[in-house]
Amino acid sequence: MATRRGGQVTVFAGAAALLTLVLLGHRRMPDIGGLGVALDTAAPWLGALIPVLAVVAVLCRCPAGAVAALAPLSAWAYLFGSWWAPVPSTHPVPASTDLRIVSQNLFAANTSPLATARALVATHADVIAVQELGGANREPSVRILDDAYPYRAEFGTVALWSRYPVSDTTPIDVGVDWYRGLRTHIATPTGDLVVYVVHLPSVRLDDTATRNHGLSLLSGELTAERAERVVVAGDFNTAGTDRHWTGFAPGYRDIHSGAAFTWPAAVPLARLDHILVRGVQITGTSVSRLPGPDHRAVSADLGSGHCDRCTSNR
């Protein structure tokens, strides 16, 4: 009996140690066939294995095994616990919002493009950035958004609508053979704002190199950007836990530092859509589900002036 108990303790302690190691070191695991990146994306959900481990230990009448589950629980709480904790306001007085930007992957196979475009207009955003503007969704989306916004910038399958004049729009290379990125100036009432709209290549188990190359190209472009106030919005096909995200675009801040999952829209499991800022004050953020797309929309409320503290939090 003692030998059996000892064996159970060894099994449960080993499982707890392995889970702890994977949680703390998922970014160091070899990325063979894209499995490393997939593990990075799934890392926050590995916490679901912890209660399973503890319950099985209790059912096996192995209290030491249940106690061992505290190790991966502590690791998960250290890495991801703050994602679900309330964030205290850093401003004693609420800052005013001068501009709202919403980013949405429209989904090329969208069967409700009219509803999506109307929902985007209903956000009352000053700037709307879209990706996957193509196929059956292009014409109805463009028509409705053109009716609501006087200015549009567009390259390939990405576009931007604005209440304020846009100028000097240029394409941005994100590592594919067609236009999936643009850069433009928006003359806002509080000054010039440079906005990027991007759609990075998809990640597949047999191909992460294309996405990684696109991230590298975009990171270099953003790092070399000379404008003081910059916003980057789009579908990055990169989770916040991805090993290639930590060093992406130094000096830029991801407006969402918590869960804020965006994909798939029905039951979001990963945050692939981001808004990054540099030199811009953020007064509010949100994630919302609009009818039609397979991604949720992300939005940011921007304050006026330059923000010296708006540096990378990744």
Side-chain angles (χ1 to χ4, degrees):
M1 181 66 72
T3 302
R4 180 183 175 187
R5 295 278 186 195
Q8 285 182 336
V9 171
T10 300
V11 169
F12 285 114
L18 177 61
L19 183 52
T20 303
L21 180 64
V22 172
L23 279 166
L24 293 176
H26 64 87
R27 284 176 173 156
R28 297 181 180 273
M29 301 293 177
D31 187 25
I32 300 174
L35 293 176
V37 168
L39 178 61
D40 294 342
T41 303
W45 300 103
L46 293 179
L49 298 176
I50 300 171
V52 174
L53 179 64
V55 168
V56 172
V58 170
L59 293 176
C60 292
R61 298 181 180 180
C62 183
V67 171
L70 291 175
L73 178 61
S74 299
W76 184 90
Y78 170 74
L79 293 171
F80 308 116
S82 63
W83 284 18
W84 285 271
V87 179
S89 175
T90 57
H91 302 285
V93 178
S96 61
T97 295
D98 294 292
L99 183 143
R100 173 173 294 172
I101 181 169
V102 173
S103 177
Q104 173 72 72
N105 181 318
L106 290 178
F107 185 33
N110 191 339
T111 58
S112 308
L114 291 171
T116 305
R118 289 176 182 136
L120 284 169
V121 173
T123 65
H124 304 293
D126 300 289
V127 176
I128 291 177
V130 301
Q131 308 86 49
E132 287 198 27
L133 178 66
N137 76 41
R138 176 182 286 273
E139 184 177 346
S141 299
V142 168
R143 185 171 62 250
I144 290 176
L145 291 167
D146 276 352
D147 287 344
Y149 292 87
Y151 304 100
R152 169 168 39 117
E154 178 184 350
F155 270 107
T157 56
V158 297
L160 172 149
W161 278 264
S162 172
R163 297 193 191 282
Y164 309 115
V166 299
S167 62
D168 301 325
T169 303
T170 56
I172 296 297
D173 184 7
V174 295
V176 291
D177 294 333
W178 67 96
Y179 292 134
R180 284 175 49 155
L182 67 80
R183 174 189 183 273
T184 193
H185 289 253
I186 300 180
T188 77
T190 56
D192 189 56
L193 181 70
V194 167
V195 177
Y196 288 75
V197 182
V198 297
H199 185 190
L200 274 294
S202 299
V203 169
R204 295 175 176 83
L205 285 181
D206 60 345
D207 181 15
T208 60
T210 304
R211 193 286 312 266
N212 297 344
H213 178 58
L215 277 177
S216 178
L217 290 174
L218 182 58
S219 181
E221 184 78 27
L222 296 178
T223 302
E225 174 62 61
R226 301 182 65 180
E228 291 188 357
R229 302 175 68 232
V230 187
V231 176
V232 190
D235 175 4
F236 288 76
N237 275 310
T238 306
T241 51
D242 193 298
R243 63 193 63 196
H244 299 283
W245 189 244
T246 303
F248 176 76
Y252 287 78
R253 176 189 178 197
D254 192 338
I255 65 165
H256 288 110
S257 58
F261 300 133
T262 63
W263 180 89
V267 184
L269 301 174
R271 177 162 51 97
L272 305 183
D273 306 84
H274 305 266
I275 295 178
L276 309 181
V277 298
R278 189 182 72 184
V280 177
Q281 183 185 38
I282 299 298
T283 62
T285 64
S286 67
V287 174
S288 55
R289 184 182 183 186
L290 304 186
D294 58 344
H295 289 239
R296 296 197 173 194
V298 292
S299 68
D301 293 333
L302 312 182
S304 61
H306 182 83
C307 180
D308 294 325
R309 294 176 296 174
C310 294
T311 56
S312 176
N313 62 353
R314 289 172 282 116

